[in-house]
Each structure stands twice: as structure tokens, then as C-alpha cells.
Amino acid sequence: MDTADLNHITSDRLALALKSGFHRVIREQDELNRINVFPVPDGDTGTNLSLTLGAALHVFERDFEHLGSMLAALADALLDGARGNSGAILAQFFQGLSDSAGEISRFTTYTFGKALETGNEYAHDAIAEPREGTILSVIAAFAAATRHHAVELKEERFDALLPTALARLKKALAETTGQLDVLRRAGVVDAGALGFVTLIDGAVDYLLNGTVTERPALGSLEEAFSVSAGPDQDSEFRFCTECIVTGTDIDRRKLREALGQLGDSLVLAGTKRKAKIHIHVDEPEAVFRLAGEYGKVTAEKADDMHRQTHSSHDARRKFAVITDSAADIADEDMERLDIHMVPCRIHFGDHGYIDKVSITNEEFFAEVARNPLHPQTSQPAPGDFRRQFQFLASHYRDVLSVNLSAKASGTWQAAVSAVDRIDAPGKVHIVDTLNASTGEGLLAVFAAECAENGMTVEAARAALEAQIPRTKTFALVKDLKFAVRGGRVPAYVKPIADLLRITPIIRTFPDGRVTNGGFLFGRRRRIRRFAAYVVKNSVLEGPMRVSIGHALCPDDAEALADDLRRLLPEVSRLSITELGSALGVHGGPGTLLAATMPEYAPTAEAS
């Protein structure tokens, strides 16, 4: 920056400075994850800030009429991409800068100081219960130091103002260690506060010295996989829940008061036309339902903080396992093996749900039976995969994603698309299971057991690929009316099937198709004959694993389990779980599934 220009900052220079600051935060995301202990030690502050800032980088490539319009576009992009507590606060801080700047073409020290003051007010206003020792403390310190020199002392040059304000900012960061007990015990500064300081440091370095921080390559494996600073403790609430509300005149005060009754760590950022909600709760659906009273709800997400906390401190496994919610897995296996899940979306008309998070399997089938609108399911967006890949690849050298058959959905492709967009040192491996529902679940559990037994990801993937063609899934559809409602079966087929007392069977095929596999004629001994069909079409090679799924018919599931134990040569393990939406959306209540897989004993020696 030329010496003569140090009394103002233009839109172009501010954009380049902020871009450099954003890059510096992305470069330091592993360190931010490592020291993340507040409000919960889930090791994702760096990931969330990187995703937040990365979602807004495109703004810096555009041309703007003036500085105010650039900040307005930046604030809007940050709001849309905001992830986590610190990301939402940062978005609100930039909203304050934008509103203060209005339509000015450049910042003087005075207008810059006033803008920071407004940004600080907006950031604090976004938090239901502001705490000292967080990102809010360093924002306030930077704003106060800048205002003092620019407004009260009337300093007109940025080369005199910024070094002093930056020194006060770094002092405030160091002070956070003593302001929160959890930081003092861990001996670290607040991760969100360090993220803000890193951003400002990068921006100031460009403005004063012309130093450009390029978008970084992947971080150091040595640093990225070191143990996180925080203790392995549980949060009072389970889900980090976020959504965007779009309306015409959102009463943010009333919305914040209502949300405050549902959980903690509430951040409400945005404007009267668009608000971003971040809150920790046990029931995400309650958040989305409340938000719907104030406008249209989009970008719903709910991350399981308990599972993230466990992963951020788990040094035993060489890789993490993640699947999509089309996989039906018993809850005890999900918890025991620390399997992560990317949920698909379910819509009944205009009302949307996050599969297995804001609606349970039981609630789903009850709604299918009650609601005249047939549900529509949609695959997770690449961004949903990217967010979880980013987190896991920041804590593990490898991540194994075990996904729904590409022949049945675009889920596998969404996962593949997400891999190229992550900035983390770990490597993500995508596997098409050529399967669905309980069969996909068996394969995900198998992969997680490989991790539990100390196998490398290469050995585990080879074992998984060997198990895929040996894993079969079969579904018995009790009533065709739901398949007719969904358009999967022509309407004329149901009365014919009812007349002939035909019960269709859906199954997976070796090429990944999930389609009709035959019929049972007559209704007598329906479950026993289905069990015989399953055994006849399974790969019988020694002891068998069996997973049964049911849609509101637990007695039928138990009967099927008894028949399969009797008919199979040997059952090494059998689990029963509620059926999810992947196949259940076509079969409806009463649908019964069975998946089989020959036993395989993964060992550390196999790696």
C-alpha cells in the first residue's frame, strides 16, 4: 500500500486484505480445531470457520460499485455459509460493518472505527448470553481500540492506527485463557477468538506490508492429528442445530426469546429479511418448527456434537467411518462403533425434515400413514457431505464413506463431488455399497469394526469390497398403496395384486439395482415363506450376519428373526432395527426387510 494512501482504504484494497485474512484462517484451521474446548470440546471451530469464510471467498472475485456494496454482498454470503457458533457471530459482525458503511466508497479511519463499533454491537446482539473470554471479547477490544484512536484521538492514518489496535487485539486474545475456567484448565486461548485475531492479522499484514496470504495447501499431518486440548466431556445438549429463516419482517427479539427456551449457545444473526439460527438442542425439529412461524426455513442442519466430541479425542482408530441415512443401523451399533451419518432430506409437501434427526423412523411411518401427501426423499447435498468430511479429515488420516447404491440414488455422486472441495489433511475414500437400507447398514458396521480392530483403511476397504457382493437385502411389501401413491407402481397393479393375493418382494441385485425380485402368492405363512426366499437367495458361506428392519411391525420382525435362525445353517449375529425412509418410502407401514452377509473376522494382523 502506498504511503500516500494510508489515510483511506478503498473497496478493492479492503477486499484483497480480507481475502488474505480469510486464507490465513483457513491455513490455521487445524490449530483452531486442536484448541477448541468451548462451548463444547468437539474440535470443529477451525472447520466451521473455514467453511464459513470459504463460502464467501467468491465475493472477492466480483466488481462492486462501492465499498458498501462489497460489504453487503460479503455479509450476505457469510450469513448463508455460516457454520457453528463463531461462524454465525462472524457473519453478524460483518453485517454490522455493512450496515454502518452504507454506500460509502472508501473507509477513513473515522468511518472504519464507527463501522467496527457497529459490528461489535451486532455481534453481541446476536448472542442470547454473551460470555467474556470468547470471540466477542476480542471483537470488542479491537473495536474499542480503533474507535479510541480514530474517533477520540482523531488519528487519520491507518499505518499509525492499525498496529496499536492489533496489539490491543492480541492482548485481549491472551486474556481469554484466564476468563473462562475451561480455557484455564486446558491452558489455551479461545479458538473462535484466535480465529478472529488470525483474520485481522492477515488483513492488516496486507494493508501495512503488502503481504499476501495465498489459499493454503493441506495442513501438516503431524499437527492435524495431535490430540485435542479439551477433556472428553459431554454437552448438556446433543445437536448443533442451524437453519436460515427468510421473511419480510422477522421479529428477531421475539424469535430469540422463543429459541432461548429450547437450548443453549444461541446465536441469531442476520436482518429482518434473513436470519441465521445457531443453537444447541436435543430436538432439532422443535427449532425448525418454531423458525417456520417467522418465515421460510431453509439450510436445516443438525450435527451430533456428542459423536464429534468423541471423534476429536479418539486416537485409537486409524480411520473414521461415515455413511448416509439410507443405511439402517441399530442405535447400539451407531454408538458402539462411532459411525457418523449424513442425513438425507424428507418432504411432505412444503414441510421438510432431516432424516433420523428431526424426524424418527417411527414418526416417519406414522406420518406416511396419516398424511395424504406422499413423502419425497432427496439425497444429501454435496455441502452436507463436505461439512462432515472436512471435520473428520481434520481429525483422522483417512475417512471411509460407505454409501447407498449409485443405481438407487445420487447420494454416492454427492459424496464424490464433496471430496474435491475439502481443505483438510486427511484423505476421504468413497465406496458404493451397491446396496441399501439394512444391507448398506451391515456393510457400514463391518467397515467400522475393521477400524475398531486396528486395520488400515486400505486393508479395510479391500475387505469391504470383498463383502459387498456377498451382502443381500430383501424387502417384503405388505401394501402396494404407498408405492402407487409415490408413482413407483401403476394404479391398476394394486387391485390385481389384491385380487390374486400377491405380495411383492423388492431386492438388491449385484449391479446395484434395487427393484422387484419376485412375488409371494397367497397370504398364509407369508413371513415364513419370505424367510425361505431370503435364505435361498443369500450367499451361504459359514456363519451369517443378519439385520432385520421393520416399519411399525415389530412382531413380524421377531417372527422373521425366529424363522431365519431356524433356516440358516448358523447365525453369528442378528439385529432388529426400525426401517428408515430409503426403502420404507415405497413400502410404507408394514414393510419388512432382511439383509444377510457371511461372517468375516477383521483383525489388526490383516492390515
mmCIF file with all atom_site columns, all heavy atoms in Angstrom, residues 334-356:
data_model
loop_
_atom_site.group_PDB
_atom_site.id
_atom_site.type_symbol
_atom_site.label_atom_id
_atom_site.label_alt_id
_atom_site.label_comp_id
_atom_site.label_asym_id
_atom_site.label_entity_id
_atom_site.label_seq_id
_atom_site.pdbx_PDB_ins_code
_atom_site.Cartn_x
_atom_site.Cartn_y
_atom_site.Cartn_z
_atom_site.occupancy
_atom_site.B_iso_or_equiv
_atom_site.pdbx_formal_charge
_atom_site.auth_seq_id
_atom_site.auth_comp_id
_atom_site.auth_asym_id
_atom_site.auth_atom_id
_atom_site.pdbx_PDB_model_num
ATOM 1   N N   . MET A 1 334 ? -24.435 -47.862 16.121 1.00 0.00 ? 334 MET A N   1
ATOM 2   C CA  . MET A 1 334 ? -24.009 -46.498 15.807 1.00 0.00 ? 334 MET A CA  1
ATOM 3   C C   . MET A 1 334 ? -23.155 -45.937 16.941 1.00 0.00 ? 334 MET A C   1
ATOM 4   O O   . MET A 1 334 ? -22.099 -45.335 16.707 1.00 0.00 ? 334 MET A O   1
ATOM 5   C CB  . MET A 1 334 ? -25.233 -45.606 15.583 1.00 0.00 ? 334 MET A CB  1
ATOM 6   C CG  . MET A 1 334 ? -26.035 -45.925 14.339 1.00 0.00 ? 334 MET A CG  1
ATOM 7   S SD  . MET A 1 334 ? -25.181 -45.466 12.808 1.00 0.00 ? 334 MET A SD  1
ATOM 8   C CE  . MET A 1 334 ? -25.146 -43.672 12.952 1.00 0.00 ? 334 MET A CE  1
ATOM 9   N N   . GLU A 1 335 ? -23.605 -46.140 18.179 1.00 0.00 ? 335 GLU A N   1
ATOM 10  C CA  . GLU A 1 335 ? -22.892 -45.609 19.340 1.00 0.00 ? 335 GLU A CA  1
ATOM 11  C C   . GLU A 1 335 ? -21.619 -46.405 19.614 1.00 0.00 ? 335 GLU A C   1
ATOM 12  O O   . GLU A 1 335 ? -20.552 -45.833 19.842 1.00 0.00 ? 335 GLU A O   1
ATOM 13  C CB  . GLU A 1 335 ? -23.815 -45.644 20.565 1.00 0.00 ? 335 GLU A CB  1
ATOM 14  C CG  . GLU A 1 335 ? -25.047 -44.768 20.451 1.00 0.00 ? 335 GLU A CG  1
ATOM 15  C CD  . GLU A 1 335 ? -24.714 -43.288 20.412 1.00 0.00 ? 335 GLU A CD  1
ATOM 16  O OE1 . GLU A 1 335 ? -23.640 -42.902 20.917 1.00 0.00 ? 335 GLU A OE1 1
ATOM 17  O OE2 . GLU A 1 335 ? -25.518 -42.512 19.864 1.00 0.00 ? 335 GLU A OE2 1
ATOM 18  N N   . ARG A 1 336 ? -21.729 -47.712 19.608 1.00 0.00 ? 336 ARG A N   1
ATOM 19  C CA  . ARG A 1 336 ? -20.600 -48.582 19.951 1.00 0.00 ? 336 ARG A CA  1
ATOM 20  C C   . ARG A 1 336 ? -19.415 -48.373 19.015 1.00 0.00 ? 336 ARG A C   1
ATOM 21  O O   . ARG A 1 336 ? -18.258 -48.368 19.437 1.00 0.00 ? 336 ARG A O   1
ATOM 22  C CB  . ARG A 1 336 ? -21.058 -50.041 19.902 1.00 0.00 ? 336 ARG A CB  1
ATOM 23  C CG  . ARG A 1 336 ? -19.968 -51.082 20.092 1.00 0.00 ? 336 ARG A CG  1
ATOM 24  C CD  . ARG A 1 336 ? -20.566 -52.486 20.127 1.00 0.00 ? 336 ARG A CD  1
ATOM 25  N NE  . ARG A 1 336 ? -21.163 -52.868 18.863 1.00 0.00 ? 336 ARG A NE  1
ATOM 26  C CZ  . ARG A 1 336 ? -20.517 -53.507 17.884 1.00 0.00 ? 336 ARG A CZ  1
ATOM 27  N NH1 . ARG A 1 336 ? -19.243 -53.802 18.029 1.00 0.00 ? 336 ARG A NH1 1
ATOM 28  N NH2 . ARG A 1 336 ? -21.135 -53.842 16.770 1.00 0.00 ? 336 ARG A NH2 1
ATOM 29  N N   . LEU A 1 337 ? -19.714 -48.174 17.724 1.00 0.00 ? 337 LEU A N   1
ATOM 30  C CA  . LEU A 1 337 ? -18.659 -48.115 16.720 1.00 0.00 ? 337 LEU A CA  1
ATOM 31  C C   . LEU A 1 337 ? -18.381 -46.701 16.220 1.00 0.00 ? 337 LEU A C   1
ATOM 32  O O   . LEU A 1 337 ? -17.571 -46.508 15.321 1.00 0.00 ? 337 LEU A O   1
ATOM 33  C CB  . LEU A 1 337 ? -19.031 -49.024 15.543 1.00 0.00 ? 337 LEU A CB  1
ATOM 34  C CG  . LEU A 1 337 ? -19.130 -50.511 15.898 1.00 0.00 ? 337 LEU A CG  1
ATOM 35  C CD1 . LEU A 1 337 ? -19.800 -51.291 14.773 1.00 0.00 ? 337 LEU A CD1 1
ATOM 36  C CD2 . LEU A 1 337 ? -17.751 -51.075 16.196 1.00 0.00 ? 337 LEU A CD2 1
ATOM 37  N N   . ASP A 1 338 ? -19.068 -45.722 16.808 1.00 0.00 ? 338 ASP A N   1
ATOM 38  C CA  . ASP A 1 338 ? -18.820 -44.315 16.454 1.00 0.00 ? 338 ASP A CA  1
ATOM 39  C C   . ASP A 1 338 ? -18.971 -44.073 14.951 1.00 0.00 ? 338 ASP A C   1
ATOM 40  O O   . ASP A 1 338 ? -18.104 -43.483 14.305 1.00 0.00 ? 338 ASP A O   1
ATOM 41  C CB  . ASP A 1 338 ? -17.432 -43.901 16.931 1.00 0.00 ? 338 ASP A CB  1
ATOM 42  C CG  . ASP A 1 338 ? -17.271 -42.388 16.982 1.00 0.00 ? 338 ASP A CG  1
ATOM 43  O OD1 . ASP A 1 338 ? -18.289 -41.692 17.155 1.00 0.00 ? 338 ASP A OD1 1
ATOM 44  O OD2 . ASP A 1 338 ? -16.133 -41.902 16.835 1.00 0.00 ? 338 ASP A OD2 1
ATOM 45  N N   . ILE A 1 339 ? -20.076 -44.556 14.386 1.00 0.00 ? 339 ILE A N   1
ATOM 46  C CA  . ILE A 1 339 ? -20.353 -44.371 12.958 1.00 0.00 ? 339 ILE A CA  1
ATOM 47  C C   . ILE A 1 339 ? -21.023 -43.021 12.755 1.00 0.00 ? 339 ILE A C   1
ATOM 48  O O   . ILE A 1 339 ? -22.026 -42.711 13.406 1.00 0.00 ? 339 ILE A O   1
ATOM 49  C CB  . ILE A 1 339 ? -21.258 -45.494 12.417 1.00 0.00 ? 339 ILE A CB  1
ATOM 50  C CG1 . ILE A 1 339 ? -20.583 -46.862 12.614 1.00 0.00 ? 339 ILE A CG1 1
ATOM 51  C CG2 . ILE A 1 339 ? -21.574 -45.267 10.946 1.00 0.00 ? 339 ILE A CG2 1
ATOM 52  C CD1 . ILE A 1 339 ? -21.488 -48.034 12.297 1.00 0.00 ? 339 ILE A CD1 1
ATOM 53  N N   . HIS A 1 340 ? -20.485 -42.225 11.860 1.00 0.00 ? 340 HIS A N   1
ATOM 54  C CA  . HIS A 1 340 ? -21.059 -40.914 11.547 1.00 0.00 ? 340 HIS A CA  1
ATOM 55  C C   . HIS A 1 340 ? -22.069 -41.068 10.403 1.00 0.00 ? 340 HIS A C   1
ATOM 56  O O   . HIS A 1 340 ? -21.979 -41.994 9.598  1.00 0.00 ? 340 HIS A O   1
ATOM 57  C CB  . HIS A 1 340 ? -19.960 -39.933 11.168 1.00 0.00 ? 340 HIS A CB  1
ATOM 58  C CG  . HIS A 1 340 ? -19.004 -39.662 12.292 1.00 0.00 ? 340 HIS A CG  1
ATOM 59  N ND1 . HIS A 1 340 ? -19.042 -38.522 13.045 1.00 0.00 ? 340 HIS A ND1 1
ATOM 60  C CD2 . HIS A 1 340 ? -17.995 -40.416 12.802 1.00 0.00 ? 340 HIS A CD2 1
ATOM 61  C CE1 . HIS A 1 340 ? -18.093 -38.569 13.971 1.00 0.00 ? 340 HIS A CE1 1
ATOM 62  N NE2 . HIS A 1 340 ? -17.443 -39.707 13.842 1.00 0.00 ? 340 HIS A NE2 1
ATOM 63  N N   . MET A 1 341 ? -23.009 -40.124 10.339 1.00 0.00 ? 341 MET A N   1
ATOM 64  C CA  . MET A 1 341 ? -24.065 -40.245 9.337  1.00 0.00 ? 341 MET A CA  1
ATOM 65  C C   . MET A 1 341 ? -24.406 -38.895 8.732  1.00 0.00 ? 341 MET A C   1
ATOM 66  O O   . MET A 1 341 ? -24.518 -37.891 9.451  1.00 0.00 ? 341 MET A O   1
ATOM 67  C CB  . MET A 1 341 ? -25.320 -40.863 9.966  1.00 0.00 ? 341 MET A CB  1
ATOM 68  C CG  . MET A 1 341 ? -26.468 -41.091 8.990  1.00 0.00 ? 341 MET A CG  1
ATOM 69  S SD  . MET A 1 341 ? -27.794 -42.095 9.710  1.00 0.00 ? 341 MET A SD  1
ATOM 70  C CE  . MET A 1 341 ? -27.077 -43.743 9.585  1.00 0.00 ? 341 MET A CE  1
ATOM 71  N N   . VAL A 1 342 ? -24.543 -38.859 7.411  1.00 0.00 ? 342 VAL A N   1
ATOM 72  C CA  . VAL A 1 342 ? -25.005 -37.672 6.690  1.00 0.00 ? 342 VAL A CA  1
ATOM 73  C C   . VAL A 1 342 ? -26.477 -37.901 6.348  1.00 0.00 ? 342 VAL A C   1
ATOM 74  O O   . VAL A 1 342 ? -26.791 -38.839 5.607  1.00 0.00 ? 342 VAL A O   1
ATOM 75  C CB  . VAL A 1 342 ? -24.195 -37.435 5.403  1.00 0.00 ? 342 VAL A CB  1
ATOM 76  C CG1 . VAL A 1 342 ? -24.696 -36.199 4.675  1.00 0.00 ? 342 VAL A CG1 1
ATOM 77  C CG2 . VAL A 1 342 ? -22.714 -37.298 5.721  1.00 0.00 ? 342 VAL A CG2 1
ATOM 78  N N   . PRO A 1 343 ? -27.380 -37.093 6.875  1.00 0.00 ? 343 PRO A N   1
ATOM 79  C CA  . PRO A 1 343 ? -28.805 -37.366 6.662  1.00 0.00 ? 343 PRO A CA  1
ATOM 80  C C   . PRO A 1 343 ? -29.314 -36.873 5.312  1.00 0.00 ? 343 PRO A C   1
ATOM 81  O O   . PRO A 1 343 ? -28.850 -35.856 4.787  1.00 0.00 ? 343 PRO A O   1
ATOM 82  C CB  . PRO A 1 343 ? -29.480 -36.599 7.798  1.00 0.00 ? 343 PRO A CB  1
ATOM 83  C CG  . PRO A 1 343 ? -28.553 -35.464 8.085  1.00 0.00 ? 343 PRO A CG  1
ATOM 84  C CD  . PRO A 1 343 ? -27.157 -35.996 7.821  1.00 0.00 ? 343 PRO A CD  1
ATOM 85  N N   . CYS A 1 344 ? -30.259 -37.612 4.766  1.00 0.00 ? 344 CYS A N   1
ATOM 86  C CA  . CYS A 1 344 ? -30.969 -37.127 3.586  1.00 0.00 ? 344 CYS A CA  1
ATOM 87  C C   . CYS A 1 344 ? -32.122 -36.242 4.057  1.00 0.00 ? 344 CYS A C   1
ATOM 88  O O   . CYS A 1 344 ? -32.326 -36.045 5.262  1.00 0.00 ? 344 CYS A O   1
ATOM 89  C CB  . CYS A 1 344 ? -31.467 -38.283 2.719  1.00 0.00 ? 344 CYS A CB  1
ATOM 90  S SG  . CYS A 1 344 ? -32.859 -39.202 3.417  1.00 0.00 ? 344 CYS A SG  1
ATOM 91  N N   . ARG A 1 345 ? -32.869 -35.692 3.140  1.00 0.00 ? 345 ARG A N   1
ATOM 92  C CA  . ARG A 1 345 ? -33.990 -34.806 3.472  1.00 0.00 ? 345 ARG A CA  1
ATOM 93  C C   . ARG A 1 345 ? -35.303 -35.476 3.067  1.00 0.00 ? 345 ARG A C   1
ATOM 94  O O   . ARG A 1 345 ? -35.370 -36.172 2.049  1.00 0.00 ? 345 ARG A O   1
ATOM 95  C CB  . ARG A 1 345 ? -33.851 -33.460 2.758  1.00 0.00 ? 345 ARG A CB  1
ATOM 96  C CG  . ARG A 1 345 ? -32.509 -32.748 2.987  1.00 0.00 ? 345 ARG A CG  1
ATOM 97  C CD  . ARG A 1 345 ? -32.244 -32.504 4.457  1.00 0.00 ? 345 ARG A CD  1
ATOM 98  N NE  . ARG A 1 345 ? -30.878 -32.082 4.725  1.00 0.00 ? 345 ARG A NE  1
ATOM 99  C CZ  . ARG A 1 345 ? -30.553 -30.860 5.142  1.00 0.00 ? 345 ARG A CZ  1
ATOM 100 N NH1 . ARG A 1 345 ? -31.489 -29.953 5.329  1.00 0.00 ? 345 ARG A NH1 1
ATOM 101 N NH2 . ARG A 1 345 ? -29.293 -30.568 5.391  1.00 0.00 ? 345 ARG A NH2 1
ATOM 102 N N   . ILE A 1 346 ? -36.336 -35.253 3.863  1.00 0.00 ? 346 ILE A N   1
ATOM 103 C CA  . ILE A 1 346 ? -37.654 -35.808 3.611  1.00 0.00 ? 346 ILE A CA  1
ATOM 104 C C   . ILE A 1 346 ? -38.652 -34.653 3.558  1.00 0.00 ? 346 ILE A C   1
ATOM 105 O O   . ILE A 1 346 ? -38.627 -33.768 4.422  1.00 0.00 ? 346 ILE A O   1
ATOM 106 C CB  . ILE A 1 346 ? -38.070 -36.793 4.715  1.00 0.00 ? 346 ILE A CB  1
ATOM 107 C CG1 . ILE A 1 346 ? -37.063 -37.937 4.834  1.00 0.00 ? 346 ILE A CG1 1
ATOM 108 C CG2 . ILE A 1 346 ? -39.467 -37.342 4.459  1.00 0.00 ? 346 ILE A CG2 1
ATOM 109 C CD1 . ILE A 1 346 ? -37.271 -38.806 6.059  1.00 0.00 ? 346 ILE A CD1 1
ATOM 110 N N   . HIS A 1 347 ? -39.531 -34.668 2.567  1.00 0.00 ? 347 HIS A N   1
ATOM 111 C CA  . HIS A 1 347 ? -40.517 -33.606 2.430  1.00 0.00 ? 347 HIS A CA  1
ATOM 112 C C   . HIS A 1 347 ? -41.912 -34.189 2.302  1.00 0.00 ? 347 HIS A C   1
ATOM 113 O O   . HIS A 1 347 ? -42.164 -35.075 1.482  1.00 0.00 ? 347 HIS A O   1
ATOM 114 C CB  . HIS A 1 347 ? -40.216 -32.742 1.202  1.00 0.00 ? 347 HIS A CB  1
ATOM 115 C CG  . HIS A 1 347 ? -38.907 -32.021 1.279  1.00 0.00 ? 347 HIS A CG  1
ATOM 116 N ND1 . HIS A 1 347 ? -38.762 -30.786 1.860  1.00 0.00 ? 347 HIS A ND1 1
ATOM 117 C CD2 . HIS A 1 347 ? -37.661 -32.388 0.866  1.00 0.00 ? 347 HIS A CD2 1
ATOM 118 C CE1 . HIS A 1 347 ? -37.496 -30.416 1.792  1.00 0.00 ? 347 HIS A CE1 1
ATOM 119 N NE2 . HIS A 1 347 ? -36.808 -31.371 1.202  1.00 0.00 ? 347 HIS A NE2 1
ATOM 120 N N   . PHE A 1 348 ? -42.824 -33.697 3.123  1.00 0.00 ? 348 PHE A N   1
ATOM 121 C CA  . PHE A 1 348 ? -44.250 -33.930 2.950  1.00 0.00 ? 348 PHE A CA  1
ATOM 122 C C   . PHE A 1 348 ? -44.834 -32.605 2.476  1.00 0.00 ? 348 PHE A C   1
ATOM 123 O O   . PHE A 1 348 ? -45.108 -31.710 3.276  1.00 0.00 ? 348 PHE A O   1
ATOM 124 C CB  . PHE A 1 348 ? -44.906 -34.361 4.267  1.00 0.00 ? 348 PHE A CB  1
ATOM 125 C CG  . PHE A 1 348 ? -44.556 -35.744 4.716  1.00 0.00 ? 348 PHE A CG  1
ATOM 126 C CD1 . PHE A 1 348 ? -43.446 -35.971 5.510  1.00 0.00 ? 348 PHE A CD1 1
ATOM 127 C CD2 . PHE A 1 348 ? -45.341 -36.824 4.345  1.00 0.00 ? 348 PHE A CD2 1
ATOM 128 C CE1 . PHE A 1 348 ? -43.119 -37.257 5.933  1.00 0.00 ? 348 PHE A CE1 1
ATOM 129 C CE2 . PHE A 1 348 ? -45.024 -38.116 4.764  1.00 0.00 ? 348 PHE A CE2 1
ATOM 130 C CZ  . PHE A 1 348 ? -43.908 -38.331 5.555  1.00 0.00 ? 348 PHE A CZ  1
ATOM 131 N N   . GLY A 1 349 ? -44.981 -32.455 1.177  1.00 0.00 ? 349 GLY A N   1
ATOM 132 C CA  . GLY A 1 349 ? -45.388 -31.159 0.645  1.00 0.00 ? 349 GLY A CA  1
ATOM 133 C C   . GLY A 1 349 ? -44.316 -30.129 0.919  1.00 0.00 ? 349 GLY A C   1
ATOM 134 O O   . GLY A 1 349 ? -43.146 -30.324 0.592  1.00 0.00 ? 349 GLY A O   1
ATOM 135 N N   . ASP A 1 350 ? -44.687 -29.015 1.559  1.00 0.00 ? 350 ASP A N   1
ATOM 136 C CA  . ASP A 1 350 ? -43.743 -27.933 1.851  1.00 0.00 ? 350 ASP A CA  1
ATOM 137 C C   . ASP A 1 350 ? -43.005 -28.140 3.170  1.00 0.00 ? 350 ASP A C   1
ATOM 138 O O   . ASP A 1 350 ? -42.128 -27.348 3.514  1.00 0.00 ? 350 ASP A O   1
ATOM 139 C CB  . ASP A 1 350 ? -44.479 -26.584 1.898  1.00 0.00 ? 350 ASP A CB  1
ATOM 140 C CG  . ASP A 1 350 ? -45.012 -26.173 0.536  1.00 0.00 ? 350 ASP A CG  1
ATOM 141 O OD1 . ASP A 1 350 ? -44.424 -26.603 -0.470 1.00 0.00 ? 350 ASP A OD1 1
ATOM 142 O OD2 . ASP A 1 350 ? -46.015 -25.439 0.497  1.00 0.00 ? 350 ASP A OD2 1
ATOM 143 N N   . HIS A 1 351 ? -43.377 -29.176 3.919  1.00 0.00 ? 351 HIS A N   1
ATOM 144 C CA  . HIS A 1 351 ? -42.756 -29.375 5.230  1.00 0.00 ? 351 HIS A CA  1
ATOM 145 C C   . HIS A 1 351 ? -41.590 -30.356 5.099  1.00 0.00 ? 351 HIS A C   1
ATOM 146 O O   . HIS A 1 351 ? -41.775 -31.481 4.650  1.00 0.00 ? 351 HIS A O   1
ATOM 147 C CB  . HIS A 1 351 ? -43.774 -29.913 6.239  1.00 0.00 ? 351 HIS A CB  1
ATOM 148 C CG  . HIS A 1 351 ? -43.325 -29.761 7.670  1.00 0.00 ? 351 HIS A CG  1
ATOM 149 N ND1 . HIS A 1 351 ? -43.919 -28.896 8.546  1.00 0.00 ? 351 HIS A ND1 1
ATOM 150 C CD2 . HIS A 1 351 ? -42.304 -30.350 8.349  1.00 0.00 ? 351 HIS A CD2 1
ATOM 151 C CE1 . HIS A 1 351 ? -43.305 -28.960 9.716  1.00 0.00 ? 351 HIS A CE1 1
ATOM 152 N NE2 . HIS A 1 351 ? -42.313 -29.836 9.620  1.00 0.00 ? 351 HIS A NE2 1
ATOM 153 N N   . GLY A 1 352 ? -40.428 -29.896 5.487  1.00 0.00 ? 352 GLY A N   1
ATOM 154 C CA  . GLY A 1 352 ? -39.236 -30.723 5.342  1.00 0.00 ? 352 GLY A CA  1
ATOM 155 C C   . GLY A 1 352 ? -38.688 -31.209 6.665  1.00 0.00 ? 352 GLY A C   1
ATOM 156 O O   . GLY A 1 352 ? -38.897 -30.594 7.723  1.00 0.00 ? 352 GLY A O   1
ATOM 157 N N   . TYR A 1 353 ? -37.983 -32.331 6.627  1.00 0.00 ? 353 TYR A N   1
ATOM 158 C CA  . TYR A 1 353 ? -37.357 -32.916 7.804  1.00 0.00 ? 353 TYR A CA  1
ATOM 159 C C   . TYR A 1 353 ? -35.947 -33.369 7.456  1.00 0.00 ? 353 TYR A C   1
ATOM 160 O O   . TYR A 1 353 ? -35.646 -33.673 6.295  1.00 0.00 ? 353 TYR A O   1
ATOM 161 C CB  . TYR A 1 353 ? -38.137 -34.141 8.301  1.00 0.00 ? 353 TYR A CB  1
ATOM 162 C CG  . TYR A 1 353 ? -39.557 -33.876 8.742  1.00 0.00 ? 353 TYR A CG  1
ATOM 163 C CD1 . TYR A 1 353 ? -40.610 -33.995 7.831  1.00 0.00 ? 353 TYR A CD1 1
ATOM 164 C CD2 . TYR A 1 353 ? -39.847 -33.525 10.060 1.00 0.00 ? 353 TYR A CD2 1
ATOM 165 C CE1 . TYR A 1 353 ? -41.915 -33.767 8.232  1.00 0.00 ? 353 TYR A CE1 1
ATOM 166 C CE2 . TYR A 1 353 ? -41.154 -33.297 10.469 1.00 0.00 ? 353 TYR A CE2 1
ATOM 167 C CZ  . TYR A 1 353 ? -42.183 -33.423 9.555  1.00 0.00 ? 353 TYR A CZ  1
ATOM 168 O OH  . TYR A 1 353 ? -43.474 -33.194 9.946  1.00 0.00 ? 353 TYR A OH  1
ATOM 169 N N   . ILE A 1 354 ? -35.097 -33.452 8.492  1.00 0.00 ? 354 ILE A N   1
ATOM 170 C CA  . ILE A 1 354 ? -33.789 -34.082 8.357  1.00 0.00 ? 354 ILE A CA  1
ATOM 171 C C   . ILE A 1 354 ? -33.951 -35.525 8.806  1.00 0.00 ? 354 ILE A C   1
ATOM 172 O O   . ILE A 1 354 ? -34.318 -35.798 9.949  1.00 0.00 ? 354 ILE A O   1
ATOM 173 C CB  . ILE A 1 354 ? -32.728 -33.375 9.216  1.00 0.00 ? 354 ILE A CB  1
ATOM 174 C CG1 . ILE A 1 354 ? -32.612 -31.904 8.822  1.00 0.00 ? 354 ILE A CG1 1
ATOM 175 C CG2 . ILE A 1 354 ? -31.369 -34.057 9.071  1.00 0.00 ? 354 ILE A CG2 1
ATOM 176 C CD1 . ILE A 1 354 ? -31.633 -31.120 9.673  1.00 0.00 ? 354 ILE A CD1 1
ATOM 177 N N   . ASP A 1 355 ? -33.685 -36.445 7.908  1.00 0.00 ? 355 ASP A N   1
ATOM 178 C CA  . ASP A 1 355 ? -33.919 -37.861 8.160  1.00 0.00 ? 355 ASP A CA  1
ATOM 179 C C   . ASP A 1 355 ? -33.168 -38.335 9.407  1.00 0.00 ? 355 ASP A C   1
ATOM 180 O O   . ASP A 1 355 ? -31.971 -38.103 9.556  1.00 0.00 ? 355 ASP A O   1
ATOM 181 C CB  . ASP A 1 355 ? -33.467 -38.666 6.935  1.00 0.00 ? 355 ASP A CB  1
ATOM 182 C CG  . ASP A 1 355 ? -33.850 -40.134 7.011  1.00 0.00 ? 355 ASP A CG  1
ATOM 183 O OD1 . ASP A 1 355 ? -34.821 -40.452 7.702  1.00 0.00 ? 355 ASP A OD1 1
ATOM 184 O OD2 . ASP A 1 355 ? -33.167 -40.945 6.353  1.00 0.00 ? 355 ASP A OD2 1
ATOM 185 N N   . LYS A 1 356 ? -33.902 -38.999 10.300 1.00 0.00 ? 356 LYS A N   1
ATOM 186 C CA  . LYS A 1 356 ? -33.364 -39.613 11.516 1.00 0.00 ? 356 LYS A CA  1
ATOM 187 C C   . LYS A 1 356 ? -32.796 -38.600 12.509 1.00 0.00 ? 356 LYS A C   1
ATOM 188 O O   . LYS A 1 356 ? -32.159 -38.990 13.489 1.00 0.00 ? 356 LYS A O   1
ATOM 189 C CB  . LYS A 1 356 ? -32.311 -40.674 11.184 1.00 0.00 ? 356 LYS A CB  1
ATOM 190 C CG  . LYS A 1 356 ? -32.873 -41.828 10.353 1.00 0.00 ? 356 LYS A CG  1
ATOM 191 C CD  . LYS A 1 356 ? -31.821 -42.870 10.016 1.00 0.00 ? 356 LYS A CD  1
ATOM 192 C CE  . LYS A 1 356 ? -32.450 -43.999 9.184  1.00 0.00 ? 356 LYS A CE  1
ATOM 193 N NZ  . LYS A 1 356 ? -31.470 -45.007 8.762  1.00 0.00 ? 356 LYS A NZ  1
#
